[in-house]
């Protein structure tokens, strides 16, 4: 032996993603005791060595497309590693795909918040398998546009049983749903889609066309947009028909993506494929928007979770890695960098869970309804935008140890951009904010009133700036990103203040609302106790 392995940080396993996150624990204080126990159990699973290995394998042993069997018959199957199925089985068993549609007394009035807490921790483990989980949950919102289909499909979706078998939906014990919107020529502009839908009688349609980006292609059915005589309409398209025959979905290839490797994303063509209309004819985009709103919430929650996982790795490493005679964590500059990052993670976490709360309370509270409608694109924009840069900085804290694929940070870094791109990239989110501003400006007045109230003495100045930004954006479309970011940072600061986050809220407010524009982390000054911020948000567990 030439040397011992020294000065390397141990794996971040054997602890709990729940107990190690005081902010999440505080956000869940009002949850029932059974739910908090379940979250603790999930947190231990997320940090277990077994689960971490499943996450690694699911992203190394990536899905494979088999278009034909050995005799030359079309089969159009995607094969996944058992690790992927294990992750899916666990997430389905805790109801990530269905809990907001269930009547669970333990989650009364907090279904979206409880699910967001589960989703936040699961995202720290592995995000690729969460794509079909998100689509399944959100698709039920669109299916409510066809009560008959909702009655047929919802009971088999909400069984909390994962069934990977290739059978007709009626023969399975559990179902997952996907969606196919994007086409080569359309992208975000789904009204440019060319897929055609022709009446086939008895309420059915035959679809002919293609989808350029259809993820989770082994889902049991897909929500698709197609051009009917009345205009763009939404359809539910099973993959396997009731008699066991294929429904004509011909998968051309799987996308070779930067990240999100465990989740297959496909190109598909089809002719004469059977579907049933969801919602009103010609109202496909309107029908799909309830689903899109839910997926945007998940994008924000997932990226907040990925950031939490990445920074936890960085803090853990620096506590165990010595350089120049003492742990990296004790080096003043490293502390400033980590604490500055911790403020953004705290703000993103609080803001994402704040959005989930507005979903729960919207039906009975006009102010919360205003927050849900106007702030969903705001929250999705900011949380997803800051994640790649933060995760790169976390990776740099580990140096070469972070840059190699064996470290989870490489996977987190590759994963982060998909949530910014999926369901509307940055410009789409900012333009959606302007759309709300033009159609219902009063919604922002309600939001600003809440921000001002929660910020306390600093609220008046902040809301004044926001009103000025709203005024500018009403006539200057190019300023939409400025408005969106200002709204997001202000709302995050307000939520940290409402939670009583003390010095963490103070540092966030002073450095984000009152500070100069910054391009990198590590800009906190000595007024803020960097070590106290880190020890509060990232306690060292035994």
């Amino acid at each position: 032996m030439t040397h011992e392995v020294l000065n390397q940080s141990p794996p971040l396993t054997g602890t709990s993603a729940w107990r190690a996150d005081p902010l999440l624990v505080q956000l869940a204080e009002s949850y029932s005791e059974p739910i908090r126990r379940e979250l603790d159990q999930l947190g231990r699973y997320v940090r277990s060595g077994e689960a971490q290995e499943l996450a690694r394998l699911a992203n190394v042993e990536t899905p494979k497309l088999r278009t034909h069997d050995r005799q030359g018959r079309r089969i159009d199957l995607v094969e996944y590693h058992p690790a992927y199925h294990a992750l899916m089985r666990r997430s389905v068993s805790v109801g990530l795909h269905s809990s907001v549609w269930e009547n669970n007394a333990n989650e009364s009035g907090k279904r979206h918040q409880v699910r967001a807490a589960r989703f936040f921790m699961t995202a720290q483990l592995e995000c690729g398998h969460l794509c079909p989980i998100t689509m399944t949950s959100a698709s039920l919102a669109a299916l409510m546009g066809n009560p008959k289909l909702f009655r047929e499909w919802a009971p088999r979706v909400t069984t909390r049983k994962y069934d990977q078998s290739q059978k007709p939906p009626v023969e399975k014990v559990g179902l997952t749903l996907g969606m196919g919107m994007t086409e080569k020529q359309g992208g975000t502009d789904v009204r440019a889609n060319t897929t055609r839908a022709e009446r086939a009688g008895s309420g059915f349609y035959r679809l002919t066309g293609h989808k350029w980006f259809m993820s989770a292609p082994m889902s049991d059915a897909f929500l698709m947009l197609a051009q009917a005589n009345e205009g763009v309409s939404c359809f539910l398209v099973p993959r396997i028909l009731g008699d066991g025959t294929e429904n004509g979905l011909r998968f051309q290839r799987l996308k070779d993506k930067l990240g999100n490797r465990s989740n297959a994303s496909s190109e598909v063509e089809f002719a004469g494929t059977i579907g049933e209309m969801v919602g009103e004819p010609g109202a496909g985009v309107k029908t799909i928007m309830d689903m899109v709103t839910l997926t945007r919430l998940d994008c924000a929650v997932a990226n907040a979770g990925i950031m939490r996982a990445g920074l936890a790795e960085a803090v853990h490493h620096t506590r165990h890695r010595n350089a120049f005679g003492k742990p990296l964590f004790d080096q003043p500059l490293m502390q400033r960098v980590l604490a500055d990052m911790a403020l953004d993670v705290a703000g993103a976490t609080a803001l994402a869970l704040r959005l989930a709360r507005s979903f729960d309370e919207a039906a009975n509270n006009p102010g919360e309804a205003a927050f849900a409608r106007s702030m969903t694109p705001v929250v999705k924009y900011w949380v997803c935008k800051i994640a790649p840069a933060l995760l790169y900085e976390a990776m740099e804290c580990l140096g070469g140890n972070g840059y190699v694929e064996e470290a989870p940070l490489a996977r987190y870094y590759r994963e982060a951009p998909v949530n910014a791109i999926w369901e509307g990239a940055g410009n789409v989110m900012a333009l959606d904010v302007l759309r709300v501003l033009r159609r219902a400006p009063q919604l922002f007045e309600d939001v600003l009133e809440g921000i001002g109230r929660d910020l306390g003495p600093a609220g008046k100045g902040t809301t004044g700036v926001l009103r000025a930004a709203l005024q500018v954006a009403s006539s200057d479309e190019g300023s939409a990103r400025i408005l969106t970011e200002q709204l997001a940072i202000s709302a995050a600061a307000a939520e940290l203040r409402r939670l009583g986050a003390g010095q963490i809220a103070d540092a966030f407010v002073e450095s984000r609302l009152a500070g100069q524009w910054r391009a990198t982390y590590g800009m906190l000054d000595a007024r803020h106790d960097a070590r106290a911020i880190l020890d509060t948000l990232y306690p060292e567990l035994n």
Side-chain angles (χ1 to χ4, degrees), residues 139 142-143 178-181 221-224 234-236 278 288 291:
S139 292
L143 279 187
M179 53 189 181
M181 311 296 167
F222 306 91
L223 286 170
M224 289 190 183
C234 181
F235 300 87
L236 181 68
V278 180
I288 224 74
M291 180 191 72

Side-chain angles (χ1 to χ4, degrees), residues 84 88 128-137 176-177 216 219 263:
Y84 171 88
M88 285 290 292
H129 82 286
L130 290 179
C131 178
I133 293 291
T134 285
M135 291 193 296
T136 300
S137 178
T176 58
L177 303 175
S219 297
N263 173 46

Side-chain angles (χ1 to χ4, degrees), residues 302-321:
N303 263 25
I306 297 172
M307 285 191 284
R308 173 75 198 188
L311 186 52
E313 286 283 344
V315 171
H316 175 76
H317 175 82
T318 58
R319 280 179 170 148
H320 292 86
R321 179 82 166 181

Side-chain angles (χ1 to χ4, degrees), residues 200-250:
S202 302
F204 291 94
Y205 288 75
R206 292 191 180 276
L207 277 62
T208 300
H210 76 281
K211 296 300 171 185
W212 179 235
F213 221 105
M214 195 168 82
S215 290
M218 290 298 96
S219 297
D220 295 291
F222 306 91
L223 286 170
M224 289 190 183
L225 293 180
Q227 298 280 358
N229 290 337
E230 300 86 352
V232 176
S233 304
C234 181
F235 300 87
L236 181 68
V237 178
R239 184 167 58 84
I240 300 175
L241 297 174
D243 62 3
T245 59
E246 304 286 338
N247 197 16
L249 298 173
R250 302 305 188 211

Side-chain angles (χ1 to χ4, degrees), residues 299 303 380-381 384-385 388 415-426 429:
C299 287
N303 263 25
K380 197 264 192 189
Y381 174 92
C384 292
K385 279 291 178 191
E415 190 72 36
V418 72
N419 285 315
I421 294 170
W422 189 36
E423 294 298 10
M429 293 299 94

Side-chain angles (χ1 to χ4, degrees), residues 61-115:
E61 303 295 337
T62 53
K64 296 175 177 58
L65 174 63
R66 292 180 60 212
T67 57
H68 297 77
D69 68 11
R70 65 190 183 93
Q71 283 88 17
R73 302 182 187 91
R74 291 279 326 198
I75 54 174
D76 294 287
L77 290 176
V78 177
E79 295 179 337
Y80 298 86
H81 190 271
Y84 171 88
H85 293 302
L87 292 167
M88 285 290 292
R89 192 174 301 110
R90 179 66 183 234
S91 290
V92 167
S93 73
V94 299
L96 284 184
H97 71 306
S98 64
S99 61
V100 297
W101 305 101
E102 301 168 5
N103 292 318
N104 185 335
N106 289 326
E107 300 175 23
S108 179
K110 300 181 184 299
R111 288 182 296 175
H112 286 284
Q113 295 168 79
V114 170
R115 179 182 177 276

